[in-house]
Amino acid sequence: MRKLPVGSIGGSGSRLKRNLGAFELTMMGIGVIIGSGIFVITGVAAAEHAGPGLALSFLVAGFACGCAALCYAELASSMPASGGAYTFAYVGLGEIFGWFIGWCLTLEYVVAMSAVAVGWSSYACNVLSLLHADLPDSVAADPFNGGTVNLPAVFVISLMALIQLRGTRESARLNNVLVFVKITVIILFIVLVAQHVDISNYSPFLPFGWEGVFSGAAIVFFAYLGFDAIANSAEEVRNPQQNMPRGILISLLIATLLYVIVTMMLTGAVRYSEYEGVAAPVAFALNEAGIRWGSAFVSAGAIAGLMTGILVMLGSESRLIYSMSRDGMIPETFSSVSRAGVPYKAVVLVWVMGSVLAGLLPIGTIAELCNIGTLWAFFIVSITVLVMRRTHPGIKRGFDVPAVPFVSAASIVMCGFLAVQLTATTWVVFLLWTAAGMMIYFCYGSRHSRIGNSDQS
């Protein structure tokens, strides 16, 4: 239950370089949030959970994320350190809670990155098919779908890892370019598909009832990953007290608006049931509408756009590992920083974990595992805001959550509600993951904790 003192956050002088402003943070958030949802998971969620009512699912999930985002904004502005929610919980609730949320976030980021890489692979294979250069199934699909390894997914993770190793500024510049391409593609998709919307496809609007809307919200919660990843970059942000809240809230607002519009276009142009098992729904909708050139263009844009999600998630998880290593929770070697100001050993570790998952698992399994880790992280962060208001009332805050405790309570309730909607298998895997994490903590982290060792000395 020992807590990390606010004054010791970041250790004795961070070696990470402050290269990011509000614009870069907003682009980072838009890049990863939009890439994770529109291009990958919307089709499957519409077919199996909510139908056209998926637009409402995005609003429900967006409301839950909005409440959580306000909590993140306050904590990020008062504790601008790498590690994000892990650091918040460590300071506000105690070491074991910090470890738990760090372990949950590891599940979130690595699994989310892998899921986006699988979606990227689908779009890449679609473009290759249009060029009559099909890859054999053995290297284009995971073992559960008739292949041996999803090689394109492994390739894109490897490429993004190499870019991360070059430095934060270089990664941010590439992200800005790719986000611009992505937004252009999405706007083009909306314009093209709007002409082919058939109102009858919206009937029934709620084929699975409100239960489907809520279970759909639990699934598409995956699509909102990103704004929490911004918090992990705090030590690389200029004027974090102001820029962190702006980046978090603006990126979430823009993403929610685009999600609702694109979902209505997708389910209006093609009947929701036809998206079952489709990992590239945007290109599929254009194909079904007979806009072949549009499908190829969108696929090419998605290939560029989805890279931003992989790039940001890889960077966020490596910074989390860096922070946990610096605090003694995991081996010290992972806090090594290169001349480019990058925790290079942590980047390599994330690259290996993501490549294994993306190469060997199907996208549906990956997405659900990611959601449960995220929901727990948001749940703990929302509690931490309430605790910090009482234990650290005088701490400098660049942003205050409005209507406390109601907003924090709403986030807690919504996250708990959405977690209950996930499948029993997902919960079993999560409990096994948690048990493994606690074994690591009590065997290593609790004994090597920097705070624990300083207390003993």
Side-chain angles (χ1 to χ4, degrees), residues 321-340:
I321 290 175
Y322 164 79
S323 297
M324 296 176 75
S325 173
R326 186 174 58 186
D327 292 336
M329 296 289 99
I330 56 178
E332 185 180 355
T333 185
F334 294 112
S335 60
S336 301
V337 177
S338 68
R339 291 182 180 179

Side-chain angles (χ1 to χ4, degrees), residues 371-443:
N371 286 345
I372 195 166
T374 308
L375 287 165
W376 271 108
F378 289 179
F379 185 89
I380 299 272
V381 164
S382 302
I383 293 175
T384 302
V385 166
L386 298 176
V387 173
M388 289 293 291
R389 285 288 185 97
R390 299 193 62 176
T391 59
H392 296 75
I395 192 174
K396 183 181 178 181
R397 294 175 170 86
F399 175 84
D400 292 310
V401 176
V404 169
F406 300 107
V407 170
S408 298
S411 176
I412 292 169
V413 171
M414 289 295 293
C415 290
F417 176 74
L418 292 175
V420 172
Q421 307 302 312
L422 296 172
T423 64
T425 302
T426 301
W427 273 97
V428 170
V429 174
F430 176 71
L431 292 175
L432 292 174
W433 174 262
T434 302
M438 287 303 164
M439 288 179 63
I440 294 172
Y441 171 71
F442 286 113
C443 291

Side-chain angles (χ1 to χ4, degrees), residues 157-237:
I157 290 176
S158 303
L159 179 61
M160 294 301 100
L162 289 174
I163 293 171
Q164 276 286 344
L165 291 172
R166 290 183 59 85
T168 304
R169 180 175 298 179
E170 289 74 12
S171 298
R173 286 174 178 170
L174 174 64
N175 182 70
N176 292 345
V177 172
L178 294 178
V179 168
F180 177 78
V181 172
K182 182 190 305 187
I183 296 297
T184 302
V185 166
I186 291 172
I187 292 174
L188 176 64
F189 167 77
I190 292 171
V191 171
L192 291 175
V193 171
Q195 306 170 44
H196 297 270
V197 169
D198 183 350
I199 301 299
S200 65
N201 286 333
Y202 293 135
S203 181
F205 191 72
L206 301 178
F208 302 96
W210 282 101
E211 181 180 351
V213 170
F214 294 129
S215 65
I219 295 299
V220 300
F221 202 82
F222 164 84
Y224 283 98
L225 299 183
F227 74 82
D228 60 321
I230 295 175
N232 279 355
S233 303
E235 282 181 44
E236 297 161 275
V237 177

Side-chain angles (χ1 to χ4, degrees), residues 3 79 84-95 97-98 101 380 384:
K3 297 179 180 179
M79 293 181 278
Y86 154 76
T87 302
F88 306 156
Y90 201 164
V91 172
L93 303 179
E95 186 172 279
F97 291 99
I101 204 169
I380 299 272
T384 302

